[in-house]
Amino acid sequence: MQFMLLFSRQGKLRLQKWYVPLSDKEKKKITRELVQTVLARKPKMCSFLEWRDLKIVYKRYASLYFCCAIEDQDNELITLEIIHRYVELLDKYFGSVCELDIIFNFEKAYFILDEFLLGGEVQETSKKNVLKAIEQADLLQEDKNAYCPRAFFLYVASTDAIGCPGGSWLFMKPCCYGHS
Amino acid sequence: MEAVNLLSSNRYTEKQIGYLFISVLVNSNSELIRLINNAIRNDLASRNPTFMGLALHCIANVGSREMAEAFAGEIPKILVAGDTMDSVKQSAALCLLRLYRTSPDLVPMGDWTSRVVHLLNDQHLGVVTAATSLITTLAQKNPEEFKTSVSLAVSRLSRIVTSASTDLQDYTYYFVPAPWLSVKLLRLLQCYPPPDPAVRGRLTECLETILNKAQEPPKSKKVQHSNAKNAVLFEAISLIIHHDSEPNLLVRACNQLGQFLQHRETNLRYLALESMCTLASSEFSHEAVKTHIETVINALKTERDVSVRQRAVDLLYAMCDRSSAQQIVAEMLSYLETADYSIREEIVLKVAILAEKYAVDYTWYVDTILNLIRIAGDYVSEEVWYRVIQIVINRDDVQGYAAKTVFEALQAPACHENLVKVGGYILGEFGNLIAGDPRSSPLIQFNLLHSKFHLCSVPTRALLLSAYIKFVNLFPEVKTTIQDVLRSDSQLRNADVELQQRAVEYLRLSTVASTDILATVLEEMPPFPERESSILAKLKKKKGPSTVTDLEETKRERSVDVNGGPEPTPASASAVSTPSPSADLLGLGSAPPAPTGPPPSSGGGLLVDVFSDSASAVAPLAPGSEDNFARFVCKNNGVLFENQLLQIGLKSEFRQNLGRMFIFYGNKTSTQFLSFTPTLICSDDLQSDLNLQTKPVDPTVDGGAQVQQVVNIECVSDFTEAPVLNIQFRYGGTFQNVSVKLPITLNKFFQPTEMASQDFFQRWKQLSNPQQEVQNIFKAKHPMDTEITKAKIIGFGSALLEEVDPNPANFVGAGIIHTKTTQIGCLLRLEPNLQAQMYRLTLRTSKEAVSQRLCELLSEQF
């Protein structure tokens, strides 16, 4: 995988992870171009598209688009499930994750991603093992308080005052998702 | 700096934030990097798995060259150490993978590699998953080092596919056992040819199980279940296609994909079309793919998603053959009328290629292309209409029809400028063929063309002027009409220099020159030399070499020789009617089919002067250069060329798909060479297969001095032609121009492979398709000496295998050709017949073009 982007329906970038070295300018350009392309697609269209010499795999969860760029010989369907597994991980960790969780606890989202994907490849596919690693790390935090999902709310909100996106759950209907 | 301090903190939170900061914000600030590396090194040595994990994640996230320099030696040790925690092993494997991707030269291969392979047997599936990714990437570049991974991967895969859905606990994903790992293992196996029979049987079983499971009713209605299951299925199909050796599996795969073509999931239809595209090029499944033609055409018409339709176009292109060409081209043409703008140009190219390639009847071809221009004129690039003219000129049976058809097409009140170009050119050449009909008499033809003149752009007008002067020659009766047109102020005083010059020159030419001269100068164009279609080159450029080449290579007739090397064109007066090597069609756009020099004053010798001292022309290959070229096939150093003035020496080295060549130019005289410019010339075909990089040399070479030029070479994919080295310089006031073929040949990218007799024959049998073998029987040109022959085979690059062939007099060799895109295993056998002074040479490789080329090269050596 070359990179992963999370962006909202309004086109705001929520999380980015690059597994290939690129300049900031290049990253911005790619992001802008891809966000436009993906947002312009209709819901029933297929989740894969060719873009430059890469394949783009994307999926929409509620208000968020998850978008991965993979190489020519990589498997599209399994990438789609990488996205889904990541969403499951977020969901399990945050407890019914929504866009706000990712905005205000972006560092957790990054840590979970690092445990799941490293260098663009799947590191650990077991949900239990990934969450165990994260929970262990949380335990090591000095303030032994239970994890508070909105802890960074005020802090980040003051820096990102441009408007608060909706807080809809990434899994729109809990019943269509059967992890619990 | 604060962040770096955080790294060395013992508090987890602080360390974590420090790492996060560095992962996101670090750049190659050398001073900080040293401090950061120090902190990371401490954490790696800490034996605290959480700290080690953080440090490894950071290295993998930054992945810079500095980090690779610092840790590439360290991480393999952590990876294979017995006491490393599983989670750390996983991170270490992927971290190493990232470093290898950024700086492969810094990751040393060593004894750790064999221990990494054994991680495939690890208890912990997470470790196996991470290790498989690492091994796959490493094995692509070093197949020999990791070949033991094949049997381990097969047995691991076999255990997974036969396990019950609960066996693997948390590694089962929606009832599919370890889908990620399965996909990765199948991907790893695609780095290698089909394995030995024992392992192969087991692998075939696995693949069959996967295909069978696709037929079972789903265990869950969730899309995740079917996605994961089908991800494994598609990867298995890729492996089947890659091996391309089990007809049974190939046909089953094809049928499975056929089912997906009508699946209600858009994603599956998309992938089925994509995957079938590669199946179409396999000889075993080509027929099976063809049975789905109606479904694919239907997809083209009804799919609502442009990216799916695009795949359908690709598949139609791939499955097309002589029997279905007319149907497919017709469907593509009718789709073109409503096609999305983004893919129109590509469809136009594809239609043009298919129409040409499978044309039995060239009138059909001409009709198709004219239709193409009518429907999508804006998307018809120059290459397409150049090509139709090339073909019309080369085939005299279609010329009359072409003239008639364009004449009719031009009658339309509004026609595309490209049609005017084709029309102008063809009527200018072959208008006489239809002039007998009073409805298309010369004057009518001329008036028809001229009625479009004012609506056209400058290049088209220039072309039309050339057509007019050709009319002067063809039809003397319209000469005065045309002279009037040329003489009019709008031509003679046209603001555009090119048009003005043409008008002046043509007018003079038509008044001054005698009919004989006119007839010579304006003679019909001679046939164009056959070479790769410029349209195909364009499509390749558009799509990147990989997608199109493979398809074409496998289907291309053995016309390699016809296309070998760029044709040298003598720079002389005959250039007026000889196609130049630089432009595909003489004269159409830039140069008119008459001299562009100063306006002619006298009819006779006007042509000679203009073209005689053309400094840009490339000299024909120097005599004897073919012989010298052949000498370099089996060696890398020596003198390539020598005459009284100049000596060219070569020294080269090759490793895998890369090479470096030192060219030494020696001035043998005591006088300076001035404006000394060596140029490397690659044909369009070769350019996509071979990357050459070099720097210009100093333009003056002192008497008796030698200058050196380095050429860096990268073999992207297998190639046939050789680049040409052209050297131009001034010596004592005379212009010197030398061309030699540069001996960069496919066999330079050989890596010898030692193998035992048993292995050899087994592989030999695997390559038993008729396309994979090329054989040549030829007379010995040199004395038949065993030792010299051995040395030549080794010099050729393959390993010389002793005691393999039952007949000790025969020679047997094996090796792998490394290109950037693939590696091609090659086996060869040379049987001398002393009595008859003959040899029989047999080559078997997985790729026809490679067998062919290697056989040609090696046959020249004995």
Side-chain angles (χ1 to χ4, degrees):
Chain A
M1 190 185 295
Q2 301 229 342
F3 56 84
M4 184 188 233
L5 302 175
L6 261 68
F7 49 88
S8 70
R9 214 168 34 179
Q10 290 77 24
K12 283 197 141 318
L13 193 61
R14 295 301 176 204
L15 184 142
Q16 49 177 331
K17 191 83 188 175
W18 302 83
Y19 299 112
V20 281
L22 289 169
S23 67
D24 282 350
K25 208 172 136 203
E26 184 74 5
K27 287 180 187 171
K28 282 215 180 77
K29 190 165 162 250
I30 293 176
T31 311
R32 201 172 47 234
E33 218 174 291
L34 266 183
V35 168
Q36 264 178 10
T37 317
V38 171
L39 287 180
R41 290 176 65 85
K42 298 190 183 73
K44 280 280 171 189
M45 286 184 164
C46 83
S47 315
F48 319 124
L49 50 134
E50 275 185 347
W51 181 80
R52 299 194 190 172
D53 50 351
L54 297 174
K55 298 195 283 198
I56 303 296
V57 177
Y58 72 92
K59 185 155 182 178
R60 180 178 158 185
Y61 287 87
S63 59
L64 264 192
Y65 283 87
F66 291 68
C67 172
C68 297
I70 54 175
E71 278 148 73
D72 190 42
Q73 68 275 22
D74 290 337
N75 190 311
E76 291 99 335
L77 283 175
I78 209 72
T79 311
L80 208 50
E81 294 319 296
I82 287 180
I83 294 177
H84 187 77
R85 181 39 57 106
Y86 182 48
V87 176
E88 282 184 1
L89 287 167
L90 292 173
D91 195 64
K92 184 101 184 202
Y93 180 75
F94 289 106
S96 286
V97 64
C98 75
E99 193 179 338
L100 285 172
D101 292 316
I102 295 170
I103 298 171
F104 297 128
N105 299 291
F106 64 93
E107 83 293 0
K108 291 290 176 208
Y110 277 111
F111 292 145
I112 296 174
L113 189 58
D114 274 350
E115 288 294 337
F116 177 46
L117 289 177
L118 194 60
E121 299 286 339
V122 176
Q123 176 175 217
E124 176 56 84
T125 65
S126 156
K127 205 155 59 176
K128 269 187 214 143
N129 290 355
V130 174
L131 292 173
K132 206 164 69 194
I134 297 288
E135 276 153 18
Q136 266 175 3
D138 282 346
L139 282 180
L140 285 173
Q141 295 199 347
E142 279 70 19
D143 52 319
K144 294 270 161 53
N145 299 336
Y147 167 67
C148 164
R150 301 279 188 272
F152 286 83
F153 188 94
L154 289 174
Y155 167 66
V156 182
S158 61
T159 60
D160 179 43
I162 298 173
C164 183
S168 51
W169 313 120
L170 293 192
F171 289 107
M172 283 202 279
K173 280 180 283 171
C175 63
C176 72
Y177 162 67
H179 69 83
S180 47
Chain B
M1 198 60 221
E2 275 307 312
V4 180
N5 287 337
L6 285 176
L7 283 191
S8 8
S9 159
N10 278 328
R11 286 160 162 255
Y12 176 76
T13 319
E14 290 177 5
K15 205 186 255 308
Q16 193 187 30
I17 293 299
Y19 272 121
L20 181 66
F21 180 82
I22 282 161
S23 302
V24 175
L25 290 172
V26 84
N27 53 22
S28 302
N29 184 333
S30 59
E31 218 169 292
L32 272 184
I33 280 282
R34 243 180 334 111
L35 291 170
I36 294 169
N37 283 354
N38 244 340
I40 293 178
R41 189 164 291 128
N42 288 339
D43 278 340
L44 283 184
S46 70
R47 311 210 137 265
N48 174 333
T50 317
F51 288 0
M52 287 171 90
L54 277 179
L56 288 167
H57 289 182
C58 177
I59 301 174
N61 282 332
V62 177
S64 65
R65 204 173 161 80
E66 290 84 3
M67 291 228 167
E69 275 165 7
F71 301 111
E74 193 73 20
I75 296 171
K77 289 179 203 151
I78 298 177
L79 178 57
V80 297
D83 55 348
T84 309
M85 293 268 294
D86 287 334
S87 64
V88 177
K89 270 190 202 166
Q90 286 166 281
S91 303
L94 294 177
C95 187
L96 189 59
L97 170 60
R98 171 73 197 261
L99 294 184
Y100 184 80
R101 281 195 183 138
T102 25
S103 342
D105 50 317
L106 292 179
V107 178
M109 295 293 132
D111 23 339
W112 61 272
T113 53
S114 60
R115 300 176 65 181
V116 166
V117 172
H118 282 279
L119 288 180
L120 288 177
N121 267 338
D122 203 280
Q123 294 284 316
H124 191 282
L125 279 188
V127 174
V128 185
T129 311
T132 312
S133 296
L134 174 66
I135 294 169
T136 306
T137 307
L138 293 176
Q140 278 162 352
K141 286 280 160 65
N142 321 280
E144 278 305 304
E145 294 244 20
F146 292 93
K147 67 176 180 223
T148 45
S149 64
V150 172
S151 59
L152 291 179
V154 171
S155 56
R156 176 57 89 171
L157 182 67
S158 158
R159 268 178 279 160
I160 295 173
V161 296
T162 52
S163 66
S165 53
T166 48
D167 287 357
L168 303 175
Q169 292 154 0
D170 210 27
Y171 289 91
T172 299
Y173 178 81
Y174 290 89
F175 305 103
V176 182
W180 283 280
L181 180 54
S182 310
V183 166
K184 284 185 177 196
L185 289 169
L186 288 163
R187 179 92 206 95
L188 168 61
L189 291 171
Q190 285 171 62
C191 301
Y192 291 92
D196 307 336
V199 182
R200 192 174 177 173
R202 201 154 176 212
L203 177 59
T204 308
E205 256 169 48
C206 288
L207 295 172
E208 274 167 353
T209 315
I210 295 173
L211 284 170
N212 291 340
K213 278 190 182 168
Q215 296 298 331
E216 289 169 11
K219 294 200 179 85
S220 154
K221 283 211 177 78
K222 296 230 166 59
V223 67
Q224 282 77 28
H225 170 70
S226 77
N227 277 351
K229 192 164 104 173
N230 292 327
V232 178
L233 176 64
F234 274 106
E235 205 60 55
I237 292 176
S238 297
L239 180 63
I240 293 170
I241 297 173
H242 169 79
H243 283 171
D244 198 11
S245 59
E246 301 266 355
N248 177 31
L249 286 177
L250 280 163
V251 171
R252 280 195 67 185
C254 186
N255 294 339
Q256 183 61 53
L257 293 179
Q259 288 181 14
F260 284 151
L261 282 183
Q262 311 197 21
H263 202 278
R264 61 188 165 77
E265 278 269 328
T266 318
N267 288 345
L268 285 180
R269 293 198 303 273
Y270 177 95
L271 293 175
L273 289 167
E274 188 185 40
S275 197
M276 224 179 225
C277 220
T278 41
L279 263 181
S281 53
S282 162
E283 53 169 329
F284 298 118
S285 49
H286 185 74
E287 286 304 311
V289 171
K290 266 173 64 187
T291 56
H292 300 289
I293 185 164
E294 296 298 335
T295 323
V296 183
I297 289 174
N298 203 30
L300 192 61
K301 288 177 180 157
T302 56
E303 281 294 347
R304 269 181 297 176
D305 184 347
V306 55
S307 42
V308 185
R309 289 196 297 267
Q310 162 94 59
R311 291 284 82 81
V313 171
D314 288 349
L315 177 54
L316 283 179
Y317 177 73
M319 73 204 286
C320 189
D321 62 11
R322 206 164 289 264
S323 64
S324 53
Q326 300 232 357
Q327 184 190 10
I328 288 180
V329 166
E331 290 295 347
M332 280 174 138
L333 270 177
S334 74
Y335 170 59
L336 192 55
E337 302 204 36
T338 54
D340 312 71
Y341 297 108
S342 53
I343 58 175
R344 279 196 180 187
E345 188 183 359
E346 205 185 311
I347 299 178
V348 166
L349 289 174
K350 286 184 163 154
V351 168
I353 292 168
L354 291 177
E356 178 192 337
K357 195 162 158 194
Y358 298 115
V360 189
D361 173 5
Y362 277 86
T363 57
W364 172 71
Y365 171 74
V366 171
D367 285 342
T368 307
I369 301 291
L370 290 182
N371 256 329
L372 207 54
I373 295 176
R374 185 178 56 76
I375 297 169
D378 286 341
Y379 299 91
V380 173
S381 57
E382 299 207 311
E383 286 84 355
V384 174
W385 72 266
Y386 284 179
R387 189 69 189 165
V388 66
I389 285 171
Q390 283 185 2
I391 286 177
V392 168
I393 286 180
N394 288 5
R395 302 195 60 94
D396 35 17
D397 52 331
V398 70
Q399 289 163 355
Y401 180 80
K404 187 161 153 282
T405 325
V406 290
F407 177 77
E408 279 162 10
L410 281 172
Q411 309 273 355
C415 47
H416 195 270
E417 193 167 332
N418 278 333
L419 182 66
V420 179
K421 288 182 187 165
V422 176
Y425 200 99
I426 288 184
L427 291 181
E429 293 290 330
F430 308 112
N432 55 333
L433 298 176
I434 56 167
D437 190 327
R439 281 167 300 172
S440 52
S441 71
L443 193 60
I444 297 180
Q445 283 185 37
F446 171 73
N447 285 337
L448 180 63
L449 282 181
H450 201 56
S451 69
K452 315 282 180 199
F453 188 89
H454 305 280
L455 304 170
C456 294
S457 64
V458 169
T460 312
R461 290 188 190 191
L463 186 144
L464 285 177
L465 286 180
S466 300
Y468 297 170
I469 190 73
K470 291 229 162 188
F471 272 13
V472 169
N473 175 41
L474 289 178
F475 316 118
E477 63 264 40
V478 294
K479 184 169 168 179
T480 45
T481 322
I482 291 174
Q483 280 176 336
D484 285 344
V485 168
L486 291 175
R487 199 176 288 124
S488 72
D489 275 355
S490 59
Q491 310 302 345
L492 274 191
R493 291 166 198 254
N494 194 295
D496 186 84
V497 185
E498 177 72 29
L499 291 183
Q500 193 187 75
Q501 188 174 11
R502 285 194 190 209
V504 171
E505 284 172 12
Y506 293 162
L507 185 59
R508 271 309 272 172
L509 189 65
S510 67
T511 38
V512 172
S514 70
T515 22
D516 284 352
I517 292 174
L518 270 185
T520 320
V521 175
L522 303 172
E523 201 184 359
E524 199 178 286
M525 294 291 276
F528 289 90
E530 256 330 306
R531 66 178 81 138
E532 186 190 37
S533 154
S534 48
I535 318 176
L536 204 53
K538 169 138 181 159
L539 185 63
K540 278 185 192 165
K541 214 180 287 167
K542 233 176 118 61
K543 296 284 286 177
S546 57
T547 37
V548 185
T549 345
D550 291 346
L551 183 66
E552 288 313 315
E553 227 80 303
T554 46
K555 289 189 179 173
R556 186 183 296 167
E557 273 88 3
R558 296 192 177 179
S559 60
V560 191
D561 281 335
V562 189
N563 298 332
E567 313 77 6
T569 310
S572 68
S574 68
V576 169
S577 54
T578 314
S580 85
S582 54
D584 266 338
L585 276 185
L586 173 78
L588 284 172
S590 50
T596 47
S601 47
S602 69
L606 78 154
L607 302 172
V608 187
D609 298 336
V610 186
F611 280 87
S612 60
D613 191 30
S614 154
S616 61
V618 173
L621 288 179
S625 103
E626 278 297 347
D627 286 355
N628 262 341
F629 179 76
R631 281 219 316 271
F632 276 89
V633 168
C634 290
K635 61 176 195 172
N636 286 332
N637 307 329
V639 175
L640 177 66
F641 171 84
E642 185 155 27
N643 64 11
Q644 289 88 359
L645 308 176
L646 175 71
Q647 185 194 56
I648 305 175
L650 289 186
K651 230 177 165 175
S652 42
E653 45 183 330
F654 294 86
R655 273 188 73 182
Q656 302 197 337
N657 71 323
L658 301 176
R660 176 175 278 198
M661 181 175 266
F662 296 88
I663 309 178
F664 300 92
Y665 305 97
N667 182 346
K668 289 168 69 180
T669 67
S670 50
T671 322
Q672 265 189 345
F673 290 161
L674 296 171
S675 338
F676 185 84
T677 36
T679 332
L680 289 171
I681 304 164
C682 289
S683 66
D684 290 351
D685 214 353
L686 189 57
Q687 252 165 19
S688 55
D689 296 334
L690 198 64
N691 273 338
L692 299 180
Q693 282 181 334
T694 184
K695 292 206 184 86
V697 297
D698 193 337
T700 47
V701 184
D702 289 333
Q706 195 180 50
V707 293
Q708 173 193 327
Q709 189 180 25
V710 188
V711 186
N712 288 320
I713 307 156
E714 187 191 27
C715 175
V716 180
S717 112
D718 62 295
F719 60 97
T720 316
E721 294 167 40
V724 171
L725 174 65
N726 175 250
I727 300 132
Q728 305 186 352
F729 59 95
R730 289 200 170 268
Y731 164 70
T734 54
F735 176 73
Q736 303 285 334
N737 191 344
V738 175
S739 285
V740 280
K741 261 196 191 175
L742 208 55
I744 300 174
T745 48
L746 186 55
N747 65 300
K748 299 291 180 199
F749 305 98
F750 242 134
Q751 290 263 305
T753 318
E754 291 291 345
M755 56 178 84
S757 170
Q758 195 192 352
D759 291 348
F760 180 84
F761 283 109
Q762 190 191 338
R763 274 169 215 202
W764 184 265
K765 280 187 204 116
Q766 277 162 7
L767 296 170
S768 57
N769 293 331
Q771 291 83 4
Q772 294 170 332
E773 181 185 275
V774 172
Q775 197 169 63
N776 189 11
I777 300 171
F778 54 93
K779 198 123 194 108
K781 279 184 256 146
H782 305 284
M784 296 175 79
D785 181 300
T786 313
E787 285 317 307
I788 293 178
T789 307
K790 280 185 182 170
K792 278 184 176 164
I793 291 179
I794 292 169
F796 191 63
S798 69
L800 182 70
L801 305 177
E802 305 274 8
E803 295 174 9
V804 165
D805 199 281
N807 178 353
N810 291 348
F811 304 92
V812 174
I816 296 170
I817 297 273
H818 286 256
T819 73
K820 190 181 172 194
T821 44
T822 53
Q823 296 175 349
I824 302 151
C826 308
L827 303 175
L828 67 90
R829 181 187 203 193
L830 180 73
E831 299 156 276
N833 181 339
L834 277 172
Q835 248 166 354
Q837 288 285 304
M838 304 271 279
Y839 283 105
R840 180 163 79 173
L841 175 64
T842 316
L843 263 134
R844 284 191 177 185
T845 76
S846 47
K847 206 166 172 190
E848 183 185 2
V850 174
S851 305
Q852 186 72 31
R853 181 60 182 157
L854 290 178
C855 185
E856 281 165 26
L857 286 170
L858 194 57
S859 299
E860 291 304 308
Q861 299 303 314
F862 303 105

